[in-house]
């Protein structure tokens, strides 16, 4: 069995926890080895939507910058004909999905090795993001069910609002593998002021 | 720092966009039939408008879609946003 | 002595605590709440610097951002900051500061000799004297700069942190005075998200130094109550010590928050940034920026002790400073009378209020007269007299009835503090920066905001409303209106009643008349920081300058660090008069960001240093390279292994070893960084046909092909190998640096020009780890590693692709070669990239496997004459220039094809790719070296090309070079000459660009 390494599995920093006071108002962790699939297809084509619903129980979000969730998969709007499917660790998609899509103009590309997710939470996560993010992340505008692609610390990312984490409201940042180290380094620097804890990757 | 209304994602900072220059320059259907001068006109010559200017932008830091806007090159006011392939809106009287 | 002292009571200072600090090496003390200026004034310090040009002694004029004179170098060593205004520096324990102007010393200043040479230093002096001959300026500049003294930038790295914060809000209120507080309150009550920013440590603005009452309580109590409500509202962000420095397009504003300056260097929690640059996108903006009092312009108006009326009131009421024993007021409006009241309240002898209006009347006059202070109507101060401590007497004169001239001189009056008020200039800076144009209001005698261009509204004195009741009401109205405009339905506020803070009439006065010629009489200063005088402006007008923008640059009016906050309007008015124009005709100079100076630290934020300035992208195998001690090369944002030195090896030795090992045994390269794009759809082949110069419709699944992508101008943009993965499905590779641009380019054509083509693109660059296994032993090695498919040449031909398992990992293997050797490119899910690499290295022991870096890769491909886009091409090179006609299809159109037959592109003496061999095989030509036909030609020698790639080839035992040479393809065997930087001239023979294995037998290996 060959060892696999997630994009941030070798990340090192002098401090896993940092805060001058007792307060650590932000935590970060890698959500490693999730299944990432980039899906493209024509949402005007009703069969296309139906196949996804039937095969993996997913209703693709058709409203820009929103997320839909099924039992196993999260599907994020990336464009009018493009979605990111984020799934369980066993990244196999059912063969029947491919079979169902066969004959349609679609594209389903595995990006599981090329992306990872940094989850950031804690009471001060919005302030940490604010140091790099030009989006309006105020709860009035960025709430459950929302996602947004943007540029964070020179890196193209997808932000996904997380309301299902047992530790409270959080944010998933989907980032390309080669930018992950830079982005996490930046976030940690930005989080020093509020105090942070870097958790071990969740795998 | 402009704020641009992506037709899909809504208002975003200019940082997330790339400007593609003048819009509605159509690639000639049969380039081989053109003279050097006609080809050069397509290739190099641009209106360099002062005032309302239709231009292509791409939400490269977001949904990666190309679209068009009409932007005043003096005031930087954006008067309309429309999808790639659509015709520019008629100027209001 | 001036008689300056601390008042026994009063002021917003904490008298229970003392702070000691040093100014120009001498120890002083003050209290929390003091500024450096107030603490020094309280201890009788009057000289704060020397002026820029004439080196005249200067004192504090203002009490805030407008201060032109009291500039200091604050702090020591790496913390040292130049050109800070003493009026804005909050006192902290241990503060050290020194004046920036005053070389060699403040009290004896050799530069003041300039004062006697004033006639030789008119406007434009620097241009006239030093710009010709140019060499002379170089000689003088250093001395002039030293004499001028504009502070010193520290050389040590900044020890502090800086950061940025992006924020959206419904209403941004700029300025926390009466209007701003009311606006914030109104908008917050309506439910809007509000940011209230004020440059001072305390909110309140003018209310911090007034005896006015609001809603039946003291102004300060009202401020506190208002702030409590705002603080309790979670939708409100209060930013004290925060200057809104810039107003940009589409309601984007920048706020510079100074977070720890007031604590002193090294005293704050090291996690806290020193400054934060807020980047705010506001739906609506309320500009409650207040107004800056204007000086009156008269002879020797720059004496230390001449201060703005509002500054005198501020020092007395806010800081508990009695600025001198005897004071007087010189004004053209009612508001100046408050300074007389305040000076009397502080126990000073107030000798006179000199009012140039012929018959001032009303409450202000009555109040002053009731205090027994004589009011001299229709009089002016026409000059000052100073001693070593600054101002000690003023000269009075009576104006003619029409006020245009001096009627008679009335002698001298003892006075250490002359409070002056020429009216108020609304702080329209941000309004103007927003793109709007301020207009001159004759009745108010000031520029007021014009029509809004962006979503902003001015309120309070920044809009020309100078009385307190009016400011409260205007602020409330602006706050409600802004909230409504951003979608909230707020109710109008009840306006608390204001007592005091009235404002009366004004009679504009831009220059106090004098009977002598300006150039021989006492100088009338407009811009204290640049020593620009009335005479300079008039001279500029006489010399033919008409535009205020030109006059500004000629006279330096408003060019200082204060950007003319005090002097500009007077200067503009004097120019208007000299040109016979109205002030609206003359207009203002352009107001540009920043309102006050911003440090470079704040501008950079945390984007500094190697790890945060720009992303460092690393492949999944990076840690292995690092552990092996690889030297890295930057390729775009990527760090790629450059070479892997073994013990004691220098770079050439390591590269030669890596090259030889790859040609003789087996080498491995981390090729993960190449761009990769998944292309899918029924029109994918047609799309590739249009993108690439060669044909793609016949490429079968499992096969790959090399292609060139051109710009529409026919020039090579990118290259790479594209594989047909299956029906309608391709995987394209791009150059490492070009990946994002190529992806964008392809999407652009699909979306904007060819929307009917059914093709989907997905970037998969990061998903695949790619290792190139190259060399005659590469097949054996992969067999040892374990492949579940046949690697034999017959089963797996050159330019074929197989999918299967390598070392137990799902992999795609391509038989392609950039080295010219038998080679296999193995791609796996990047999570397994390191595992694959380690498995290959493990199996490679018996072949003495050699990892090679980008430098060896460059040498190996150059031996084969393979170009690197961006090195051997530069945006002006076509495939024909590379002698690669074979890759350009005649039978279809593609992007850039038409350009290949343009007259300039088709001519035969274009620069073409050739090889070069130097006669000395050890001589490696420098890349970039220019080539000439004959070194003896007369100058300028025509350049005929340049060396694009050049290496020592260990495999060939000699140097090789690729070059672009005019008409090179038809000059084989000819000689060109490289001219080197050291003057050496090296002959080289033009050869084919392929130095090794021209038949490609090594990489094809079909016979094996």
């Amino acid at each position: 069995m060959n060892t696999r390494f997630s994009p941030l599995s070798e990340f090192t920093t002098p401090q896993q926890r940092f805060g001058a006071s007792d307060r650590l108002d932000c935590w970060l962790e890698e959500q490693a080895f999730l299944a990432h699939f980039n899906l493209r297809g024509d949402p005007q084509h009703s069969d296309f939507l139906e196949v996804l619903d039937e095969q993996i129980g997913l209703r693709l979000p058709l409203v820009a910058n929103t997320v839909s969730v099924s039992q196993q998969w999260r599907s994020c709007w990336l464009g009018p004909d493009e979605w990111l499917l984020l799934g369980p660790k066993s990244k196999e998609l059912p063969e029947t999905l491919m079979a169902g899509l066969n004959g349609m103009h679609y594209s389903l590309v595995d990006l599981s090795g090329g992306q990872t997710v940094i989850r950031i939470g804690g009471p001060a996560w919005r302030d940490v993001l604010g140091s790099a993010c030009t989006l309006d992340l105020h709860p009035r505008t960025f709430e459950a069910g929302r996602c947004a692609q943007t540029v964070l610390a020179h890196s193209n990312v997808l932000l996904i609002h997380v309301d299902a984490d047992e530790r409270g409201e959080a944010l998933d940042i989907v980032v390309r593998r080669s930018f992950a180290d830079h982005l996490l380094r930046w976030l940690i620097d930005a989080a020093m002021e509020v105090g942070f804890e870097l958790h071990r990757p969740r795998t | 720092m402009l704020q641009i209304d992506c037709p899909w994602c809504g208002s975003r900072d200019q940082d997330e966009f790339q400007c593609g220059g003048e819009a509605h320059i159509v690639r000639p259907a049969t380039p081989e039939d053109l003279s050097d001068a006609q080809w050069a006109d397509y290739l190099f010559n641009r209106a360099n408008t002062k005032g309302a200017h239709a231009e292509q932008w791409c939400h490269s830091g977001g949904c990666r879609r190309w679209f068009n806007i009409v932007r005043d090159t003096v005031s930087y006011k954006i008067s309309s946003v429309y999808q790639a392939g659509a015709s520019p809106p008629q100027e209001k009287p | 002595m001036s008689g300056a002292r601390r008042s026994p009571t009063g002021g917003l200072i904490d008298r229970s605590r003392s702070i000691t600090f040093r100014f120009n090496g001498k120890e002083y003390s003050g209290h929390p709440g003091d500024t450096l200026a107030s603490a020094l004034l309280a201890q009788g310090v009057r000289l704060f610097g020397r002026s820029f040009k004439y080196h005249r002694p200067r004192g504090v004029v203002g009490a805030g951002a407008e201060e032109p004179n009291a500039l200091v170098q604050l702090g020591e060593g790496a913390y040292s900051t130049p050109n800070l205004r003493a009026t804005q520096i909050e006192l902290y324990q241990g503060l050290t500061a020194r004046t920036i102007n005053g070389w060699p010393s403040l009290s004896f200043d050799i530069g003041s000799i300039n004062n006697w040479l004033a006639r030789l230093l008119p406007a434009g002096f620097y241009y006239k004297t030093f710009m010709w001959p140019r060499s002379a300026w170089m000689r003088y500049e250093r001395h002039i700069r030293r004499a001028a003294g504009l502070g010193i930038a520290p050389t040590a790295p900044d020890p502090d942190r800086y950061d940025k914060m992006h924020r959206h809000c419904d209403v941004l209120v700029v300025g926390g005075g009466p209007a701003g507080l009311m606006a914030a309150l109104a908008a917050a009550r309506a439910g809007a998200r509000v940011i209230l920013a004020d440059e001072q440590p305390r909110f309140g603005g003018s209310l911090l130094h007034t005896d006015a009452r609001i809603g039946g309580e003291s102004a300060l109590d009202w401020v506190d109550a208002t702030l409590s409500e705002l603080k309790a509202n979670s939708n409100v962000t209060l930013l004290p010590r925060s200057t809104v420095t810039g107003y940009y397009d589409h309601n984007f504003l920048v706020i510079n928050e100074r977070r720890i300056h007031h604590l002193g260097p090294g005293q704050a929690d090291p996690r806290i940034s020193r400054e934060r640059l807020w980047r705010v996108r506001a739906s609506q903006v309320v500009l409650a920026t207040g107004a800056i009092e204007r000086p009156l312009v008269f002879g020797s108006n720059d004496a230390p002790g001449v201060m703005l009326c509002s500054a005198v009131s501020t020092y007395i009421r806010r800081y508990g400073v009695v600025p001198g024993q005897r004071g007087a007021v010189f004004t053209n409006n009612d508001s100046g009378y408050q300074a007389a009241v305040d000076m009397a309240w502080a126990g000073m002898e107030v000798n006179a209020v000199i009012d140039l209006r012929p018959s001032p009347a009303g409450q202000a006059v009555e109040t002053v007269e009731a205090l027994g202070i004589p009011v001299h109507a229709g009089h002016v101060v026409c000059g000052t007299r100073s001693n070593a401590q600054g101002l000690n007497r003023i000269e009075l004169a009576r104006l003619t009835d029409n006020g245009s001239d001096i009627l008679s001189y009335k002698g001298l009056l003892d006075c250490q503090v002359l409070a002056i008020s020429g009216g108020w200039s609304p702080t329209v800076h941000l309004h103007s920066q927003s793109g709007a144009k301020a207009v001159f209001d004759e009745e108010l005698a000031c520029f007021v905001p014009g029509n809004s261009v962006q979503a902003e509204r001015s309120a309070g004195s920044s809009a020309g409303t100078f009385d307190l009741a009016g400011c409260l009401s205007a602020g409330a109205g602006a706050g409600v209106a802004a909230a409504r405009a951003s979608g909230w339905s707020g109710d109008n506020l009840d306006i608390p009643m204001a007592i005091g803070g009235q404002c009366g009439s004004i009679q504009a006065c831009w220059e106090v008349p004098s009977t002598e010629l300006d150039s021989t009489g006492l100088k009338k200063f407009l811009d204290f920081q640049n020593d620009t005088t009335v005479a300079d402006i008039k001279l500029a007008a006489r010399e033919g300058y008409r535009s205020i923008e030109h006059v500004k640059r000629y006279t330096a009016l408003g060019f200082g660090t204060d950007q003319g906050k005090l002097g500009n309007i007077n200067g503009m008015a004097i120019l208007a008069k000299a040109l016979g124009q109205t002030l609206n005709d003359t207009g203002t100079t352009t107001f540009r960001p920043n309102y006050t100076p911003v440090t470079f630290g704040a501008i950079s934020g945390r984007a500094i240093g190697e790890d945060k300035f720009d992303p460092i992208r690393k492949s999944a195998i990076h840690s292995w390279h690092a552990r092996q001690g690889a030297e890295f090369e930057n390729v775009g944002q990527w760090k790629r292994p450059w070479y892997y030195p073994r013990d004691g090896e220098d770079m050439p030795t390591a590269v030669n070893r890596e090259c030889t090992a790859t040609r003789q045994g087996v080498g491995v390269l981390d090729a993960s960084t190449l761009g990769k794009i998944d292309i899918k759809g029924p029109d994918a082949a047609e799309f590739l046909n249009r993108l690439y110069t060669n044909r793609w419709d016949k490429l079968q699944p499992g096969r790959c092909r090399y292609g060139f992508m051109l710009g529409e101008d026919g020039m090579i943009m990118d290259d790479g190998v594209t594989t047909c993965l299956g029906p309608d499905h391709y995987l394209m590779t791009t150059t490492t640096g070009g990946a994002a641009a190529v992806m964008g380019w392809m999407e652009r054509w699909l979306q904007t020009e060819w929307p009917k083509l059914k093709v989907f693109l997905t970037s998969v660059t990061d998903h695949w780890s790619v290792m190139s296994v190259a060399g005659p032993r590469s097949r054996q090695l992969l067999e040892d590693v374990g492949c579940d498919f046949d690697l034999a040449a017959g089963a797996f031909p050159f330019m074929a692709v197989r999918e299967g398992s390598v070392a137990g990992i799902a992999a795609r293997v391509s038989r392609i070669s950039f080295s010219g050797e038998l080679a296999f490119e193995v791609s796996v899910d990047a999570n397994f990239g390191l595992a694959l690499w380690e498995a290959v290295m493990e199996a490679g022991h018996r072949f003495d496997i050699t990892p090679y870096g980008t430098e060896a890769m460059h040498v190996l491909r150059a031996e084969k004459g393979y170009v690197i886009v961006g090195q051997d091409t530069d945006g002006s090179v076509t495939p024909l220039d590379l002698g690669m006609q074979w890759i350009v299809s005649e039978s279809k159109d593609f992007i850039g094809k038409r350009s290949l037959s343009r007259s300039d592109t088709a001519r035969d003496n274009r620069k073409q790719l050739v090889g070069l061999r130097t006669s000395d095989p050890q001589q490696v030509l420098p890349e970039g070296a220019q080539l000439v036909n004959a070194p003896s030609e007369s100058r300028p020698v025509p350049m005929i090309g340049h060396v694009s790639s050049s290496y020592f080839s260990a495999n060939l035992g000699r140097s090789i070079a690729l070059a672009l040479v005019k008409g090179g393809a038809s000059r084989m065997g000819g000689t060109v000459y490289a001219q080197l930087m050291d003057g050496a001239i090296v002959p080289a023979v033009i050869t084919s660009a392929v130095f090794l294995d021209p038949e490609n037998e090594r990489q094809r290996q079909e016979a094996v």
Side-chain angles (χ1 to χ4, degrees), chain C residues 37 122 132 139 224 269 326 489 641 643 700 812 829 837 899 931 993:
Chain C
W132 187 264
R139 239 188 356 261
D224 288 344
D269 182 334
R326 275 179 290 275
S489 51
Y643 59 97
Q700 294 300 307
R812 176 181 297 138
D829 177 327
W837 183 278
S899 289
L931 302 171

Side-chain angles (χ1 to χ4, degrees), chain C residues 298-314:
Chain C
F298 53 94
S300 291
N301 55 341
D302 64 330
V306 178
M307 299 165 81
L308 297 173
C309 284
S310 55
V312 169
S313 294
T314 301

Side-chain angles (χ1 to χ4, degrees), chain C residues 7 71 190 225 237 402 421 432 443 445 465 584 594 694 751 832 960:
Chain C
S7 63
L71 300 185
T237 304
N402 66 6
S421 178
S432 302
E443 194 183 333
T465 304
N584 272 323
N594 293 314
N694 47 353
Q751 290 181 34
F832 295 96
I960 57 170

Side-chain angles (χ1 to χ4, degrees), chain C residues 650-811:
Chain C
D650 61 5
M651 179 172 169
T653 314
V655 171
N656 289 346
R657 173 180 51 72
E658 292 171 15
C659 288
T660 315
T662 304
R663 291 241 184 270
Q664 292 174 3
V666 61
V668 282
L669 173 80
D670 182 356
S672 305
T673 62
L674 288 183
K676 304 166 207 73
I677 299 168
D678 185 281
I679 304 170
K680 189 159 180 291
D683 296 318
E686 168 62 18
F687 183 51
L688 291 173
N689 265 346
R690 296 184 192 186
L691 282 176
Y692 278 126
T693 61
N694 47 353
R695 291 201 76 100
W696 293 81
D697 31 3
K698 295 287 190 304
L699 188 69
Q700 294 300 307
R703 305 288 297 193
C704 57
R705 183 169 287 172
Y706 175 77
F708 267 136
M709 225 178 263
L710 310 187
E712 193 74 293
D713 60 359
M715 304 303 154
I716 293 169
M717 197 182 94
D718 207 79
D719 70 341
V721 169
T722 294
T723 302
C724 183
L725 297 173
D728 306 335
H729 195 188
Y730 297 83
L731 179 68
M732 173 188 283
T733 59
T734 74
T735 58
T736 296
V742 170
M743 178 77 182
W745 168 254
M746 289 164 65
E747 276 288 359
R748 184 174 185 181
W749 284 104
L750 279 177
Q751 290 181 34
T752 66
E753 200 72 34
W754 302 320
K756 292 204 166 66
L757 287 187
K758 288 188 163 180
V759 181
F760 284 131
L761 308 176
T762 308
S763 169
V764 292
T765 302
D766 284 59
H767 176 70
W768 297 101
S769 274
V770 182
M771 73 185 289
S772 177
V773 184
R777 314 295 294 273
S778 54
R779 182 178 287 129
Q780 279 171 281
L781 168 59
L782 282 187
E783 281 164 355
D784 279 13
V785 170
C787 286
D788 64 354
F789 50 89
D790 190 353
L791 293 168
F796 189 2
F798 187 57
M799 300 305 272
V801 180
R802 295 288 177 265
E803 304 213 0
S805 148
V806 177
I809 302 167

Side-chain angles (χ1 to χ4, degrees), chain C residues 362-404:
Chain C
Q363 175 143 27
V365 180
E366 287 161 21
T367 307
V368 161
E369 283 180 337
L371 291 167
I373 301 168
V375 174
H376 301 275
H379 280 65
V380 295
V381 175
C382 61
T384 66
R385 303 289 185 273
S386 290
N387 60 19
Q389 271 79 47
L391 181 72
N392 71 338
R393 280 180 295 175
I394 53 177
E395 184 173 15
L396 260 55
R398 178 166 187 170
L399 290 177
T400 54
D401 285 349
N402 66 6
S404 66

Side-chain angles (χ1 to χ4, degrees), chain C residues 493-556:
Chain C
L493 252 58
D494 292 333
I495 313 298
M497 195 176 76
I499 300 172
Q502 283 92 347
C503 174
S505 66
I506 180 170
Q507 177 180 320
C509 173
W510 312 114
E511 177 195 0
V512 172
S514 53
T515 49
E516 296 165 283
L517 287 174
D518 294 325
S519 56
T520 55
L522 301 173
K523 281 198 242 325
K524 300 172 178 175
F525 287 94
L526 290 165
D527 179 329
F528 293 111
Q529 205 173 96
N530 283 325
D531 274 351
T532 310
T533 65
V534 170
D536 292 329
I537 302 292
K538 291 180 176 173
L539 176 67
R542 284 202 303 280
E543 291 189 352
Y545 287 88
R546 291 295 176 268
S547 156
I548 184 63
E549 296 286 2
H550 293 156
V551 170
K552 167 184 172 172
R553 282 151 183 83
Y554 191 57
T555 63

